[in-house]
Amino acid sequence: MKTIAMIPARLDSERLPGKLMMDLGGLPIILKTYQNVVNSCLFDEVYVITDSLIIFNLIKDNGGDVFMSAVKHESGSDRIAEFASKINSDIILNVQGDEPFIDKLSLKKLIDIFKNDHYKKIDLASLMQPIDKIKDVESSSNVKVVVDNDNFALYFSRSIIPFNRLPNDKPNYYKHIGVYAFKKEALIYFYNSKPSTLEKFEKLEQLRFLENGKKIKMVETIYKGIGIDTMEDLINARKII
């Protein structure tokens, strides 16, 4: 089973413009992320997919593999899907460019999901972690996910899900970690489909799969890395470094 990692890297960010080129431990964030994924030694190949000449040259000058995206895309999955049909692979992992602390164990869990999928039920897999603090549950920056008894995703939302009407009990809340592993054909299907209704409301690309009947297997992880969306996130990431 040939497994490839792709890192979508858009320079223009609404919350923190130019963030992927900002310094993190002496390196730009995107280069830090790329090196971390390569050093995991889990993948046959690792690529950065970008629409930025600055990022393209950075990765190229540091000996990395990079594609220049031909068009603007609505999501990271769209960006990597542009090249999915051109690459020989079975499984493609989408690792967010602003997740420099993603750990090897979590990536391996996603790959193993497909190795153990004997009945070929899974179209893609992703990560989730328990949320304990109510302020984190209430934050719309934290995408929540609810799952069925087999850990297949039922829904993703920026709102609080599930809604609790039992004041003496507390449901299990899970935060979605934006790392995906796709069957190649599922990723190509995504690229050829139109944004769905719920996807447009929530601004969550994974809802397009659910609305079209695709199966997303969620894998619980204790990984507590930082996705860098704001300056506060970057400051915290620098403290970790």
Side-chain angles (χ1 to χ4, degrees):
M1 186 177 72
K2 187 171 183 179
T3 306
I4 289 175
M6 290 188 175
I7 306 171
R10 182 171 62 95
L11 187 60
D12 295 329
S13 170
E14 292 181 4
R15 294 183 183 178
L16 190 60
K19 67 179 179 181
L20 292 184
M21 289 299 296
M22 292 182 179
D23 179 79
L24 182 62
L27 295 174
I29 292 171
I30 184 59
L31 184 57
K32 197 80 172 175
T33 302
Y34 177 80
Q35 290 180 348
N36 195 11
V37 176
V38 170
N39 291 338
S40 73
C41 299
L42 292 172
F43 303 100
D44 296 291
E45 299 166 16
V46 180
Y47 296 93
V48 171
I49 315 295
T50 185
D51 60 356
S52 164
L53 186 59
I54 295 173
I55 292 176
F56 181 92
N57 289 335
L58 172 73
I59 301 301
K60 203 72 175 175
D61 291 346
N62 282 275
D65 293 315
V66 58
F67 284 122
M68 177 64 80
S69 179
V71 295
K72 297 287 185 181
H73 293 292
E74 292 295 323
S75 71
S77 295
D78 282 311
R79 192 172 304 283
I80 68 171
E82 181 183 342
F83 296 94
S85 61
K86 303 175 184 179
I87 291 177
N88 178 26
S89 65
D90 300 297
I91 305 300
I92 298 173
L93 264 78
N94 177 356
V95 182
Q96 300 299 322
D98 58 4
E99 286 272 355
F101 300 111
I102 187 64
D103 69 317
K104 181 176 180 176
L105 179 59
S106 296
L107 297 177
K108 186 176 185 302
K109 282 183 177 181
L110 289 176
I111 296 170
D112 288 344
I113 281 291
F114 291 97
K115 289 181 178 178
N116 298 321
D117 183 25
H118 303 300
Y119 296 102
K120 308 300 180 185
K121 291 183 176 181
I122 300 169
D123 296 297
L124 63 152
S126 195
L127 299 173
M128 64 181 184
Q129 66 174 221
I131 309 176
D132 295 322
K133 296 179 180 179
I134 189 63
K135 69 173 184 177
D136 293 332
V137 175
E138 293 173 344
S139 172
S140 61
S141 296
N142 292 328
V143 176
K144 276 70 68 175
V145 58
V146 289
V147 297
D148 67 13
N149 292 333
D150 294 318
N151 276 354
F152 282 101
L154 294 171
Y155 193 66
F156 299 85
S157 182
R158 299 184 185 279
S159 300
I160 300 175
I161 53 172
F163 182 82
N164 184 18
R165 297 194 64 179
L166 301 174
N168 297 322
D169 201 359
K170 179 184 176 183
N172 293 323
Y173 293 107
Y174 290 99
K175 175 183 176 180
H176 178 223
I177 306 297
V179 180
Y180 298 95
F182 301 91
K183 283 182 180 175
K184 180 179 177 179
E185 55 266 33
L187 185 56
I188 294 173
Y189 171 88
F190 179 88
Y191 188 57
N192 291 326
S193 63
K194 295 181 179 180
S196 62
T197 302
L198 294 174
E199 175 190 3
K200 288 187 284 188
F201 280 130
E202 296 256 19
K203 300 298 183 183
L204 297 174
E205 63 194 70
Q206 60 270 40
L207 291 175
R208 191 187 309 183
F209 287 99
L210 293 186
E211 287 187 84
N212 285 282
K214 301 299 182 183
K215 302 287 283 183
I216 305 177
K217 184 77 168 184
M218 301 303 298
V219 180
E220 187 170 342
T221 178
I222 59 172
Y223 159 67
K224 292 185 180 291
I226 297 176
I228 301 174
D229 289 320
T230 65
M231 183 54 69
E232 182 181 2
D233 292 336
L234 180 56
I235 291 170
N236 290 333
R238 286 170 175 168
K239 290 177 181 178
I240 292 175
I241 289 291

